[in-house]
């Protein structure tokens, strides 16, 4: 949601780049993790959860990278909120 918010605030190419990690994460979760989790087979469910966990970790790392970057097209507070939500998901 924060990538869409950043792009809606200022629809430029720089802010469109903020959408890339979120779109990739959504695609992986939809195509790989979703069908595995809903399959009903314990091995597939475990695999789907592992994929979803990996996607969450990568998204958290992308938020950290945006916060430590000298220039980010979106405000640092927005990236911090995304990081906070991704950490809360593991608690």
């Amino acid at each position: 949601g924060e990538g869409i918010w950043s792009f809606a605030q200022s629809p430029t190419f720089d802010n469109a780049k903020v959408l890339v990690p979120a779109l990739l994460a959504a695609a992986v979760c939809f195509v790989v993790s979703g069908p595995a989790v809903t399959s009903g087979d314990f091995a597939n469910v475990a695999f789907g959860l592992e994929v979803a966990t990996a996607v969450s970790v990568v998204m958290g790392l992308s938020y950290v990278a945006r916060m430590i970057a000298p220039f980010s097209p979106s405000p640092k507070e927005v990236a911090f909120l995304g990081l906070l939500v991704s950490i809360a998901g593991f608690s």
Side-chain angles (χ1 to χ4, degrees):
E2 65 88 18
I4 295 170
W5 181 85
S6 294
F7 185 72
Q9 296 299 314
S10 176
T12 62
F13 180 71
D14 282 338
N15 279 343
K17 292 187 287 187
V18 174
L19 291 172
V20 172
L23 292 174
L24 290 175
V28 169
C29 284
F30 182 74
V31 173
V32 179
S33 180
V37 169
T38 59
S39 70
D41 179 33
F42 289 121
N44 284 339
V45 170
F47 172 72
L49 292 176
E50 289 169 359
V51 169
T53 301
V55 167
S56 296
V57 168
V58 170
M59 284 300 295
L61 292 175
S62 77
Y63 290 131
V64 169
R66 283 179 38 211
M67 286 192 310
I68 63 173
F71 172 76
S72 178
S74 65
K76 304 288 185 180
E77 295 85 5
V78 176
F80 177 75
L81 180 61
L83 181 63
L84 187 64
V85 169
S86 66
I87 291 172
F90 287 105
S91 297

